[in-house]
Amino acid sequence: MQKEKIYVTKSSLPDYNKFCEMIKNIWDSKMLTNNGYYHQILEQKIKEFLQVNNITLYTNGHLALENALNLIKGQIPAGGGLEIITTPFTFVSTIHAIVRNGFKPVFCDINPDDYTIDVSKIENLINENTCAIVPVHVYGNICNVEKIKEISKKYNLKVIYDAAHAFGERINGESVANFGDISMFSFHATKVFNTIEGGCLAYNNNAYKQPLEQLKNFGIKNEDVTNFIGGNAKMNEFQSVFGICNLDELSNNIEKRKLLYHKYLELLKDIKGIKLNKLNEKISYNYSYFPIVISEEYGLSRESLIELLNKNNIFPRKYFYPLITELDCYKNNYDSTLTPIALDISKRVLTLPIYPDLEPEKVEEICNIIKKRELK
Ligand SMILES: *Cc1c(COP(=O)(O)O)cnc(C)c1O
């Protein structure tokens, strides 16, 4: 019999009967989208869950981020600079959202231990054209939010967090949604909490609510007035119901992930040449990713290890490789050697399978293969 394939993640689905029971109401109301009943419920639930003043839901995280940056752009005085300091060690969405809004990304290197933006290198990149910082809580590692706040105040910069990986996390007891001007969370099928496709913006400035609502709905203010040039990025009722049901299971899912995460830590901690993600005791994590970084001491290259795991039907992913500045659409305009740590990590990182119903025995099997460096 063909062994079951294990991928880096497996989408979390809500209870089938509960989902069906709720969507019956959609057949009665015939309200499929446009800030419907379930949309409003989900928005309220997420607002409470993230403990933030405002939530705007989106059909996906990428458009949420594009809209957040679009809003910021509208506030820049004519002739103002359009440089945004960000990280090259992220999913393409972050940088595409910056560039598609007409901003210029300026890449800052990352920390070698938690892969977030290296705050000690931000100030050197600031000039009169800098308008914002877009840091990423990569793998759920929360950035140095205090230092970023300090820098942003000093230079009067906006901060938009790509918090796609950090849904539900806290630092020093504070919700991750409460840092910077706006945080974007992704509810894509592969994320720790999903609405099939989906996402949201979280922000405390009430003045952002109205323009963001308009930007995601063609700029329409009311029946008679359209005073923004907006796109369409609305979340529909099916996505909302999926989210309402999935949210109930999130804390349980995070607990299951936590057990697997600690099992990996325990089993991999003494293997030479395998560097583990450095945990910060102030953070309560969602355990959405398990990255390892492979060095020469390990004896096998990353590609050989992937081949070994693939032969055993295990499919880890090279998040994030190639580095953004190495991609065909960016490589001619940017120099990866300016962010040497990010470049180096991207060539050696591997994210291992982790999802709530992954059996602990599978984690043992994966760790054994990594330990033995050969097929069982
Ligand atoms: C998933 C992800 C996004 C985009 O979210 P979607 O909901 O898939 O559009 C943006 N940034 C990062 C870092 C992500 O991982």
Side-chain angles (χ1 to χ4, degrees):
M1 202 182 79
Q2 176 77 12
K3 255 182 78 185
E4 188 201 348
K5 289 193 163 96
I6 298 179
Y7 296 101
V8 73
T9 194
K10 201 186 231 180
S11 297
S12 297
L13 277 87
D15 181 81
Y16 180 74
N17 291 322
K18 185 167 160 187
F19 180 73
C20 291
E21 200 51 48
M22 282 176 99
I23 61 169
K24 262 188 202 153
N25 296 322
I26 300 178
W27 264 259
D28 295 337
S29 72
K30 312 269 189 291
M31 269 285 270
L32 303 181
T33 185
N34 285 30
N35 197 22
Y37 176 72
Y38 287 120
H39 183 286
Q40 292 174 35
I41 292 179
L42 181 64
E43 185 177 294
Q44 185 59 31
K45 280 183 184 281
I46 290 180
K47 201 163 88 174
E48 283 162 20
F49 181 75
L50 290 177
Q51 294 182 302
V52 66
N53 286 350
N54 299 282
I55 287 292
T56 301
L57 296 174
Y58 288 86
T59 193
N60 61 56
H62 177 78
L63 286 173
L65 190 57
E66 281 203 5
N67 279 15
L69 290 165
N70 201 216
L71 178 75
I72 294 308
K73 190 162 185 205
Q75 298 177 340
I76 294 173
L82 296 175
E83 289 187 13
I84 290 184
I85 296 171
T86 188
T87 164
F89 193 70
T90 182
F91 182 51
V92 285
S93 167
T94 319
I95 310 309
H96 286 355
I98 290 170
V99 174
R100 285 166 59 86
N101 268 296
F103 290 108
K104 176 176 182 256
V106 173
F107 293 105
C108 182
D109 212 353
I110 59 170
N111 299 315
D113 293 327
D114 72 357
Y115 322 116
T116 61
I117 195 163
D118 181 345
V119 293
S120 72
K121 293 179 181 155
I122 293 177
E123 287 197 73
N124 274 339
L125 299 171
I126 295 176
N127 63 44
E128 68 279 5
N129 291 320
T130 311
C131 62
I133 309 173
V134 175
V136 179
H137 301 308
V138 63
Y139 308 131
N141 289 323
I142 298 181
C143 299
N144 186 340
V145 287
E146 288 308 322
K147 187 70 192 175
I148 290 169
K149 186 174 175 181
E150 195 185 303
I151 295 170
S152 68
K153 292 274 170 288
K154 184 169 165 191
Y155 296 93
N156 191 26
L157 304 174
K158 296 285 186 215
V159 178
I160 310 294
Y161 279 106
D162 182 332
H165 296 177
F167 191 71
E169 295 194 333
R170 298 176 160 274
I171 179 160
N172 285 324
E174 174 92 54
S175 165
V176 69
N178 280 317
F179 300 101
D181 295 279
I182 304 178
S183 294
M184 179 280 286
F185 296 91
S186 166
F187 308 152
H188 182 255
T190 56
K191 302 300 204 281
V192 76
F193 162 72
N194 86 81
T195 58
I196 308 172
E197 292 268 4
C200 79
L201 294 179
Y203 48 99
N204 284 316
N205 185 347
N206 298 338
Y208 288 170
K209 181 78 181 168
Q210 176 75 22
L212 284 175
E213 291 297 328
Q214 286 186 241
L215 278 172
K216 75 171 193 186
N217 188 27
F218 307 105
I220 296 170
K221 185 173 184 188
N222 58 45
E223 261 180 76
D224 301 325
V225 180
T226 297
N227 57 352
F228 265 80
I229 303 172
N232 177 8
K234 301 186 298 288
M235 178 182 275
N236 69 51
E237 288 292 271
F238 288 81
Q239 290 172 289
S240 302
V241 171
F242 210 86
I244 291 166
C245 296
N246 259 347
L247 196 58
D248 287 342
E249 288 166 44
L250 180 64
S251 63
N252 197 10
N253 283 341
I254 291 177
E255 277 311 305
K256 289 183 186 166
R257 286 173 173 276
K258 183 176 182 178
L259 290 176
L260 299 169
Y261 195 101
H262 283 280
K263 192 164 201 69
Y264 268 127
L265 282 184
E266 184 55 32
L267 295 173
L268 296 178
K269 70 176 195 295
D270 295 326
I271 302 181
K272 281 207 169 59
I274 299 285
K275 192 166 81 121
L276 305 176
N277 187 64
K278 192 172 169 204
L279 293 179
N280 175 347
E281 66 204 15
K282 294 176 188 151
I283 299 176
S284 67
Y285 291 91
N286 61 20
Y287 304 100
S288 45
Y289 298 90
F290 196 93
I292 60 172
V293 172
I294 297 143
S295 61
E296 235 166 72
E297 254 193 312
Y298 176 63
L300 285 185
S301 69
R302 172 179 67 178
E303 306 309 318
S304 306
L305 177 59
I306 292 172
E307 202 179 315
L308 190 57
L309 289 164
N310 287 172
K311 279 186 183 147
N312 243 7
N313 269 341
I314 296 155
F315 299 88
R317 289 291 296 270
K318 294 181 272 187
Y319 293 145
F320 292 97
Y321 175 85
L323 195 66
I324 296 287
T325 45
E326 293 288 291
L327 296 173
D328 286 347
C329 55
Y330 291 119
K331 69 181 180 197
N332 295 329
N333 297 322
Y334 301 96
D335 179 359
S336 301
T337 62
L338 297 175
T339 54
I341 296 172
L343 182 61
D344 174 52
I345 298 290
S346 76
K347 289 175 179 165
R348 300 192 288 119
V349 72
L350 193 62
T351 52
L352 301 178
I354 188 164
Y355 47 87
D357 54 356
L358 178 65
E359 296 92 346
E361 300 75 48
K362 295 291 179 195
V363 172
E364 282 164 26
E365 185 187 327
I366 293 165
C367 294
N368 274 334
I369 295 168
I370 296 173
K371 192 175 272 173
K372 291 211 180 87
R373 299 167 178 79
E374 60 191 41
L375 282 174
K376 294 191 303 180

